Amino acid sequence: MKTGSSIYRSIALDLAQRIINGEFPEGVKISGRSVLAGHYNVSPETVRKAIALLKIKNVVTVSQGKEITVISSENCYNFIEQYKSNETMYSLQQDVEILLRQKREIDAKLEALLIDIINYSDRLRNLTPYHPVEVELPENAPIVGRTLAETRLWQHTGATLVAIRRGTEIIISPGPGAKFESGDRIVLVGDSQILKRTLDFISCI
């Protein structure tokens, strides 16, 4: 659905295109606001805004008697090109805003899932030998820059990698190709000794 501002801009664009097409040559007077309002099925105020926009761009002049006269078809080309450029930029901004909103929603869901996993493990702490731990990787950690498959983390520690916290990002159930980065906080599940074994492993690998 078009907003009020997009309607009058669209009318101005249509009038500019009609001028370029020769329907309204330079020096010709365009129909008054009431006639144009009826043609576009909008209010005279909306037409006034459209004409005002064309006047600002030096496409038409408006006399005291409210007569609308075309003064430059060349300026119509400039107006249309500027309009297209602005529309493209606006469209890109809208796309970025949508993507950022989707990312925030995904991050929130991932964080909630991670909390559920950790809480679930907490509830089982006294019933099973599995415990969640979180380890931050320092810059000089030997596994930094290597993938999960390359480190063979589970084979060496018995710990299962549940997630990676990376800044505001949460990577749930990383695959074997997941690469560790400095500052990552890795969330592991295993027996009561996984923290010690993991710390020993990442310091001597």
Side-chain angles (χ1 to χ4, degrees):
M1 180 180 295
K2 290 186 176 181
T3 63
S5 62
S6 64
I7 291 175
Y8 82 77
R9 291 177 187 276
S10 295
I11 291 174
L13 182 65
D14 183 66
L15 288 172
Q17 189 63 58
R18 292 169 70 182
I19 292 171
I20 291 175
N21 293 341
E23 186 175 342
F24 301 123
E26 292 182 8
V28 168
K29 291 180 174 58
I30 300 178
S31 303
R33 295 178 191 169
S34 297
V35 175
L36 290 174
H39 175 78
Y40 290 106
N41 195 28
V42 296
S43 68
E45 176 61 18
T46 300
V47 171
R48 185 194 67 78
K49 291 181 179 180
I51 296 301
L53 185 57
L54 293 176
K55 181 180 178 182
I56 292 174
K57 301 301 181 181
N58 294 317
V59 174
V60 302
T61 60
V62 181
S63 67
Q64 292 295 333
K66 298 183 180 179
E67 288 186 339
I68 305 165
T69 305
V70 178
I71 60 174
S72 175
S73 57
E74 180 179 352
N75 288 342
C76 285
Y77 287 101
N78 298 333
F79 170 70
I80 291 174
E81 288 302 313
Q82 182 182 9
Y83 177 88
K84 290 180 180 178
S85 176
N86 290 341
E87 284 294 294
T88 299
M89 181 60 67
Y90 177 76
S91 177
L92 291 174
Q93 290 173 341
Q94 290 292 99
D95 289 344
V96 170
E97 290 178 4
I98 291 173
L99 289 174
L100 288 175
R101 184 169 62 252
Q102 291 175 340
K103 182 181 184 300
R104 287 192 294 268
E105 292 173 353
I106 292 172
D107 287 347
K109 291 179 181 178
L110 289 176
E111 185 171 4
L113 178 59
L114 177 58
I115 291 173
D116 286 344
I117 291 173
I118 294 175
N119 289 341
Y120 181 69
S121 297
D122 285 342
R123 289 197 298 271
L124 297 180
R125 178 167 301 193
N126 296 323
L127 300 177
T128 72
Y130 290 93
H131 306 269
V133 298
E134 187 170 309
V135 178
E136 182 173 358
L137 300 181
E139 184 177 354
N140 60 348
I143 69 172
V144 169
R146 302 177 66 181
T147 66
L148 177 60
E150 291 171 340
T151 62
R152 303 182 69 217
L153 182 66
W154 181 82
Q155 289 86 342
H156 288 92
T157 67
T160 298
L161 183 63
V162 176
I164 299 175
R165 294 180 186 264
R166 182 171 295 158
T168 58
E169 182 182 9
I170 301 175
I171 305 171
I172 301 295
S173 299
K179 184 175 292 187
F180 295 110
E181 296 183 6
S182 173
D184 280 352
R185 299 185 67 86
I186 57 175
V187 182
L188 309 164
V189 173
D191 61 31
S192 59
Q193 298 300 311
I194 62 170
L195 178 58
K196 180 180 183 304
R197 289 200 299 269
T198 300
L199 292 176
D200 290 343
F201 175 66
I202 66 175
S203 64
C204 68
I205 187 175

